[in-house]
Amino acid sequence: RRQMRSGGAVVTARIKAMAGKTEVETLRHFFAGLRYWVLAESLGGVESTINHSASMSHGSMSKEERAAVGVHDTTLRLSVGIESVDDLIR
């Protein structure tokens, strides 16, 4: 049986700042609430991982260079692993 004929999936999203909070404060709050997601440079593996592209994979680029390729300070990339979906959305 064949699996992953067209490759895996990575979801890209941008976090919007919470009322009264900066984007950085909002990201810190978001990361502090993660339970099963692993903050990681690499998105490969069986566990669900999340990447903050601006400070990780694209950290050596200027803000302008990142914006030109669609990576903003609030850009997150998520790779869903094999955990129960019920665990991941809590």
Side-chain angles (χ1 to χ4, degrees), residues 10-15 27 30-31 38-43 49-63 65-67 69-79:
V10 173
V11 176
T12 301
R14 288 177 67 187
I15 295 278
L27 285 170
F30 177 80
F31 290 134
V38 177
L39 186 60
E41 189 87 27
S42 170
L43 296 177
T49 55
I50 189 166
N51 172 284
H52 179 244
S53 303
S55 67
M56 297 175 127
S57 56
H58 294 73
S60 64
M61 299 170 78
S62 70
K63 189 171 186 164
E65 290 171 321
R66 289 193 313 267
V69 296
V71 175
H72 305 276
D73 289 342
T74 57
T75 299
L76 300 175
R77 292 207 167 102
L78 298 88
S79 176

Side-chain angles (χ1 to χ4, degrees), residues 81-90:
I82 61 172
E83 300 90 350
S84 166
V85 68
D86 293 329
D87 288 336
L88 295 176
I89 60 174
R90 287 183 199 187

Side-chain angles (χ1 to χ4, degrees), residues 21-41:
K21 302 281 186 186
T22 66
E23 290 176 341
V24 171
E25 290 170 330
T26 300
L27 285 170
R28 285 186 183 140
H29 177 79
F30 177 80
F31 290 134
L34 294 177
R35 184 169 175 188
Y36 291 97
W37 295 84
V38 177
L39 186 60
E41 189 87 27

